[in-house]
Amino acid sequence: NDSNVITSGLKNILQDTDEAKDPFYVLLLGTDGRPGEDSYRADSIILARIDPTKKQATLISIPRDTKVVYKGETMKINACHTNDGAQGMVEAVNELCGITINHYAEVSFDGMQQLIDAVGGIDINATDDVDDPAGQQHMDGATALTYARCRYIYTDGDYTRMRHQRQVLGALANQVLNNFDATKIVGLVNSLSDMLTTDMSVEDIVSTVNAMRGMDV
């Protein structure tokens, strides 16, 4: 709940909901920032719709070069984040997708690596070669991060990378929801609090995890 990111302006446009019962939208940003840095880029933009009753999650990647009109100016969507931070990005995605976002979360890539290591790594069916041949494999945080960020070796670059990012999130969800000790979730969230910034409270996160436990990812 970093007040430099989760500002009063952002809170005013986020629409609160009951995370254990009602479907809700979360805007997820992966950034290249590190603790203490004030200037960083939104490198990965994913809109997630979470339905706790049906135990379903839908992820849509938004290319960071997507053209939008924001405050009367045409720009790349990640420039909205550069200009106005989380609030600018939420406003831009609301307008682009015709929805109302309920929650916002951003994690640094260092934080994502630590999170994956903290839950014991992830099992993923890699669709493309990176460090190892494609196929079913267990990835630690560093390997998963490479898989999620690599783009230059692929002909369709960003699109392959965005698909990889959704795969990594699906594998991470499977590990947390179906293979991780539920009693350790609070400690996990608190231990990564300097890497993860969100308007959701620890209680909100735990409530969502419990509601989605057993999800077929």
Side-chain angles (χ1 to χ4, degrees):
N1 245 315
D2 184 343
S3 60
N4 292 320
V5 177
I6 311 300
T7 62
S8 57
L10 175 64
K11 291 179 179 178
N12 287 337
I13 61 173
L14 294 174
Q15 190 174 84
D16 199 15
T17 186
D18 186 338
E19 294 78 17
K21 296 180 180 179
D22 301 322
F24 61 94
Y25 288 99
V26 185
L27 183 62
L28 305 170
L29 260 63
T31 76
D32 60 2
R34 288 175 171 80
E37 291 184 347
D38 295 324
S39 178
Y40 51 88
R41 297 172 297 180
D43 204 55
S44 169
I45 308 166
I46 294 178
L47 178 64
R49 182 184 185 273
I50 310 298
D51 188 332
T53 302
K54 295 182 179 179
K55 296 185 186 295
Q56 292 179 343
T58 307
L59 305 180
I60 298 175
S61 297
I62 301 175
R64 56 188 177 174
D65 292 343
T66 300
K67 184 173 70 173
V68 297
V69 177
Y70 179 69
K71 292 186 175 179
E73 293 185 41
T74 301
M75 63 183 71
K76 296 178 180 180
I77 195 165
N78 68 344
C80 302
H81 183 266
T82 302
N83 292 345
D84 290 324
Q87 180 179 346
M89 187 61 82
V90 169
E91 289 176 343
V93 175
N94 276 345
E95 177 68 21
L96 178 69
C97 299
I99 48 91
T100 300
I101 292 169
N102 306 99
H103 292 294
Y104 174 88
E106 67 180 49
V107 61
S108 68
F109 288 116
D110 285 349
M112 179 61 75
Q113 180 174 330
Q114 288 188 32
L115 174 56
I116 291 170
D117 284 336
V119 298
I122 57 174
D123 294 311
I124 190 168
N125 188 11
T127 53
D128 303 275
D129 297 352
V130 182
D131 290 341
D132 297 303
Q136 190 68 34
Q137 53 189 277
H138 184 81
M139 292 185 180
D140 62 12
T143 305
L145 190 60
T146 299
Y147 185 72
R149 297 201 72 186
C150 188
R151 63 188 172 105
Y152 293 111
I153 64 174
Y154 305 119
T155 55
D156 58 355
D158 268 344
Y159 291 96
T160 296
R161 182 171 72 160
M162 289 186 294
R163 174 163 48 81
H164 288 179
Q165 290 169 353
R166 295 193 301 272
Q167 284 184 296
V168 167
L169 286 178
L172 179 59
N174 185 59
Q175 184 68 10
V176 171
L177 296 174
N178 301 326
N179 301 314
F180 193 71
D181 185 346
T183 63
K184 297 181 179 179
I185 293 294
V186 173
L188 176 66
V189 175
N190 284 329
S191 69
L192 294 169
S193 60
D194 61 337
M195 295 288 185
L196 174 68
T197 303
T198 178
D199 69 294
M200 298 180 75
S201 66
V202 175
E203 291 76 15
D204 289 340
I205 295 171
V206 172
S207 177
T208 302
V209 168
N210 288 335
M212 299 293 284
R213 192 168 295 281
M215 179 179 73
D216 179 356
V217 300

